[in-house]
Amino acid sequence: MLAYLVRRVLYAIPILIGVNLLTFVLFFVVNSPDDMARMHIGVKRATPEAIERWKADRGYDKPMFVNADAEGSARFTDTIFFDKSLRMFALEFGRADDGRDIGQEIRDRMGPSLAIALPTFVLSLFASISLALLLVFFRATYLDFWGVVICVAMMSISSLFYIIGGQWLVSKLWALVPISGYAPGLDATRFLMLPVLISVLAGIGSSVRWYRTIFLEEISKDYVRTARAKGLSELAVLFRHVLRNALIPILTGVVVVIPLLFMGSLLVESFFAIPGLGSYTIDAINAQDFAVVRAMVFIGSVLYIIGLILTDISYTLVDPRVRLE
Amino acid sequence: MSAPMSFQPVLLWTDLLLFVLLAVALLAIVHVRGNEPLRAAWRKVGKRPTGMAAAAVLLAFVLVGLLDSLHYRPLLPAAQAEASAAGAETENGAEAAVDAEAATGAESAAGGQPGPVYSTEVLSVLDALLEPLRAQTEKTYSAPFAWQLYQREAMELPDGRQVRDYPRLVHGAAHLQEPEGERAADVAARVASGAGLAAVAWLLCFVVLATIVWQGSGLGWGQVALAMLTGHTVLAWRAALVTLAIILLIVGVCLELAPLYHVLGTDKVGQDVLYLSLKSVRTALVIGTITTLVMMPFAVALGIAAGYLGGWVDDAVQYVYTVLNAIPGVLLIAAAVLMMQVVIDTHPQWFDTAAERSDARLLALCFILGITSWTGLARLLRGETLKLRELEYVQAARAFGVGTPAILRRHILPNVMHIVLISLVMDFSGLVLAEAVLSYVGIGVDPTTISFGTMINLARAELAREPMVWWSLAAAFVFMFVLVLAANLFADVVRDAFDPRRS
């Protein structure tokens, strides 16, 4: 298994290089730093001096790949490509436009992001699996039919509606919790209850339907009929046989997103003014802070690859037949 | 010199692609008619009441979207044309040049020879049909069916005194003398006449539809019509007719009311919300369909090539889509949209009008969404092709010496098309919802493009006002909900009919 994991980690390197090259092409080749500077400063005020200053502030005034003026290894290290792209592998992200260190900022903001994403993840997983099992237990009845109808209706509602409607109803009309904001420590629950509830609600329609399909596919298999023939109760069949065998497709979809929880949710964090990575990203997008967006793209893909590896490991935990070799 | 045309047609890129899509759809219908298995599958869709009802709703939206895709620039009256030409000469700077460049007219007018001058404003056929809605703007917010403005204003009474009160609307309920007392009765009367109009239109549609179904059925016309109404036809015509009745009722009532009232209120700059909602439909359709259209060739070609050829082709394709998948979707879209925006902003000379510029951004967004979403389809196609290439008929074809391109075209492609179709309809609703979110984040359509996302974005801050401004938000959400719900239901029915695992 160790050999397999080492191989998977090594396989991740070309993918990360690909991500890195892609972002480099997007940010520096499609548009030259001059174009970005002109856009950032405003087309009308962009004098050549202002552009030079803008580039120098961000370290974009260096040559792209090869620095002919420098000596020795600095010929290749003192370039935009090395500074902005390759340094990311060492998790050095440089500074944002407001002068703060991006790496430090990311470390500070992980906590609030997790504080909202983790409860959301656990609660919605629990709620949607239970509801899906309920629908499957009552399959081919009116409860099942209307359950699916409600799921489809809930899927068709924009997530913006859940957030705006929830904020208006719970915070403004009923005044139960603050509309937005964040406080460190235990005090945070007050602020986190509503966003967590809304995120769970917003995603539940599609996930219940998805789990229901998985369970229904499992339930038509032969071993389920055998289990029933043995005289097992329907509940025992569902929990002991169907749920356990459906774990593999469930894990495929679920484990990948666990590392991405660090990234937070863009919308929820920005609406509820939670100082996490999601709102950091949105602020960076709105302020056109390219360095921060680049850093988040890189971190996101690292976390995604970790998620893929974790998925493989999780298979061995739930299915003894799976061996990683 | 002959009289100038009263309008100049404008073909935006997204218009072109929408009509290409329409042509492809029509060709597909012709193809399906001559192919028995495909006809059987579509008949399965038609048998389901939800399928027919959802299709009727979607058709209504498509009609609105297509009418809104026939663009033109109206001819300016002579006086305005001179003003416009003068404006073009005096104003400088890149942005002014884009907005004020009134086609060739500006130059020829400056040269002393008056030619036809077309407005820089690009309109669509839908705009022309909704002219009263488009033109009847108020000063600022007004509630649905309101006769007064949302805000108090200082007004001068006939005797010279100043008061602060809610002013009457310029257009909304302007035909009433005493709106407070008369409005309810007036609205009721108009709803009734609108319903009557809808009933007539529905009967007309019913007669036409029944005649089409009756043709070649060998039964009496009355029998067929009765069977359609009682739900005894093979296809679920009754569901379609009921949905049609509801749509026509809404349209009829709106036809009667909308020219005189702001049925859904007005927004911050006084534009009619009903008009904005109808204009948003096109943006949603463009995002939902063109995205899939532009990514489909890549997904199909790469997915099938990877699955059938294997070897290094497979490795390369898998590598590309793993890399694209590894970047969280929103971030890749954000990065790409930011960069597209730089390109568009630094090349103002590419675009004649503001509409063309925002259309370029819309198209870029479709491409970007396509790049981030083709991986799923490509993976599905690769898996299916891997299965197909081992089947007997493909092996037999190979043994007979049929070349690889011919095998791919004749044996593989037709047998994976159901996956393409299913993913096309399944992706649609997700893309429509994504547009709203992306526009909120600021990486969606151009802020000047009317879309559900921009409507929500503008209306969001107004919930905090007292009394609340809820109507534009509600309108955007309801329109979006109906569109997405219809698309979801239709997608489910199509998947059930075409997925061999589900029959």
Side-chain angles (χ1 to χ4, degrees), chain B residues 121-437:
Chain B
E121 195 180 17
V122 176
L123 295 177
S124 72
V125 173
L126 186 74
D127 289 323
L129 291 176
L130 299 178
E131 182 63 26
L133 283 185
R134 192 178 68 85
Q136 292 178 2
T137 55
E138 307 290 343
K139 225 177 218 164
T140 177
Y141 298 111
S142 66
F145 291 104
W147 51 279
Q148 282 175 320
L149 209 58
Y150 169 82
Q151 278 169 335
R152 281 175 207 270
E153 262 182 15
M155 286 187 299
E156 199 168 315
L157 291 180
D159 56 13
R161 281 183 300 136
Q162 290 265 343
V163 287
R164 276 187 74 75
D165 198 6
Y166 299 106
R168 280 289 294 264
L169 293 180
V170 187
H171 301 284
H175 62 299
L176 301 177
Q177 295 296 322
E178 291 291 330
E180 235 159 324
E182 295 169 22
R183 189 173 54 169
D186 185 62
V187 170
R190 284 175 196 284
V191 167
S193 73
L197 206 69
V200 174
W202 182 81
L203 269 179
L204 217 68
C205 291
F206 173 58
V207 170
V208 171
L209 268 178
T211 311
I212 294 174
V213 177
W214 165 70
Q215 271 189 342
S217 69
L219 297 166
W221 192 89
Q223 263 179 310
V224 171
L226 193 69
M228 279 173 79
L229 285 180
T230 50
H232 286 97
T233 42
V234 177
L235 302 183
W237 283 112
R238 187 171 56 165
L241 284 171
V242 171
T243 319
L244 185 69
I246 296 171
I247 297 171
L248 285 175
L249 189 67
I250 295 171
V251 172
V253 169
C254 283
L255 270 182
E256 280 290 307
L257 287 173
L260 297 163
Y261 294 94
H262 296 294
V263 178
L264 298 178
T266 53
D267 75 348
K268 187 170 188 170
V269 289
Q271 276 186 301
D272 193 285
V273 172
L274 179 62
Y275 170 73
L276 294 177
S277 309
L278 287 171
K279 291 287 280 183
S280 304
V281 170
R282 176 179 181 270
T283 316
L285 288 179
V286 166
I287 298 263
T289 55
I290 298 209
T291 302
T292 323
L293 182 77
V294 296
M295 66 111 168
M296 214 158 56
F298 295 100
V300 172
L302 293 178
I304 291 182
Y308 189 79
L309 300 174
W312 67 267
V313 179
D314 193 16
D315 289 341
V317 172
Q318 282 202 62
Y319 174 73
V320 170
Y321 71 53
T322 316
V323 167
L324 283 177
N325 254 352
I327 306 174
V330 184
L331 289 173
L332 183 56
I333 295 168
V337 170
L338 283 180
M339 289 305 111
M340 280 311 129
Q341 194 53 42
V342 175
V343 172
I344 290 174
D345 281 3
T346 45
H347 298 91
Q349 71 276 11
W350 289 352
F351 311 104
D352 274 353
T353 57
E356 281 173 41
R357 195 176 38 196
S358 51
D359 185 68
R361 168 127 180 207
L362 182 62
L363 189 65
L365 184 66
C366 287
F367 272 94
I368 291 161
L369 282 170
I371 288 170
T372 53
S373 64
W374 67 272
T375 52
L377 180 59
R379 183 156 38 187
L380 282 178
L381 290 174
R382 174 179 169 272
E384 189 70 16
T385 313
L386 274 177
K387 258 186 272 166
L388 287 176
R389 61 177 288 199
E390 302 305 329
L391 290 186
E392 283 87 353
Y393 63 86
V394 178
Q395 294 196 327
R398 225 177 301 157
F400 278 129
V402 181
T404 304
I407 292 181
L408 289 181
R409 190 165 43 87
R410 243 186 280 159
H411 300 294
I412 305 283
L413 193 60
N415 287 307
V416 297
M417 277 319 271
H418 68 278
I419 296 183
V420 175
L421 178 73
I422 292 171
S423 88
L424 191 135
V425 290
M426 299 284 284
D427 284 351
F428 177 84
S429 47
L431 288 168
V432 173
L433 291 176
E435 185 275 326
V437 172

Side-chain angles (χ1 to χ4, degrees), chain A residues 14-15 18 26 31 39 153 156 158 161 164 168 172 209 263 266-267 270-271 281 285-286 290 296 301 304, chain B residues 319 322 326-327 330-331 334-335 339 342-343 345 433 440-441 443 460 463 468 477 480-481 485 488 492 502:
Chain A
I15 293 176
L26 259 180
N31 294 288
M39 157 117 170
S156 308
S158 168
F161 177 79
I164 296 174
W168 175 74
K172 187 144 179 264
R209 221 170 73 113
M263 302 279 288
L266 294 182
L267 278 187
S270 124
F271 267 97
T281 313
I285 291 171
N286 286 333
F290 304 115
M296 298 307 286
S301 42
Y304 175 82
Chain B
Y319 174 73
T322 316
I327 306 174
V330 184
L331 289 173
M339 289 305 111
V342 175
V343 172
D345 281 3
L433 291 176
Y440 165 75
V441 179
I443 49 177
R460 190 178 66 87
L463 276 184
M468 201 168 66
F477 280 132
M480 220 158 81
F481 175 67
L485 184 64
N488 271 333
D492 277 358
R502 286 172 180 259

Side-chain angles (χ1 to χ4, degrees), chain A residues 168-230:
Chain A
W168 175 74
L169 192 71
V170 178
S171 300
K172 187 144 179 264
L173 212 59
W174 298 342
L176 292 179
V177 289
I179 285 190
S180 64
Y182 186 75
L186 268 184
D187 205 22
T189 36
R190 214 153 47 89
F191 294 100
L192 291 182
M193 272 191 306
L194 184 62
V196 167
L197 191 77
I198 286 175
S199 322
V200 171
L201 208 62
I204 211 163
S206 53
S207 52
V208 167
R209 221 170 73 113
W210 167 239
Y211 292 135
R212 178 179 165 276
T213 331
I214 293 177
F215 290 143
L216 281 182
E217 215 160 277
E218 251 348 276
I219 219 164
S220 60
K221 288 189 179 163
D222 286 343
Y223 72 87
V224 176
R225 197 177 43 203
T226 314
R228 283 205 203 102
K230 284 194 309 194

Side-chain angles (χ1 to χ4, degrees), chain B residues 54-69:
Chain B
V57 175
L58 287 180
L59 274 180
F61 276 108
V62 168
L63 188 70
V64 172
L66 285 180
L67 281 178
D68 202 9
S69 301

Side-chain angles (χ1 to χ4, degrees), chain B residues 34-54:
Chain B
N35 184 321
E36 188 44 43
L38 285 178
R39 253 165 66 184
W42 279 109
R43 211 174 293 129
K44 255 195 239 169
V45 175
K47 277 181 193 167
R48 294 269 297 273
T50 37
M52 285 296 251

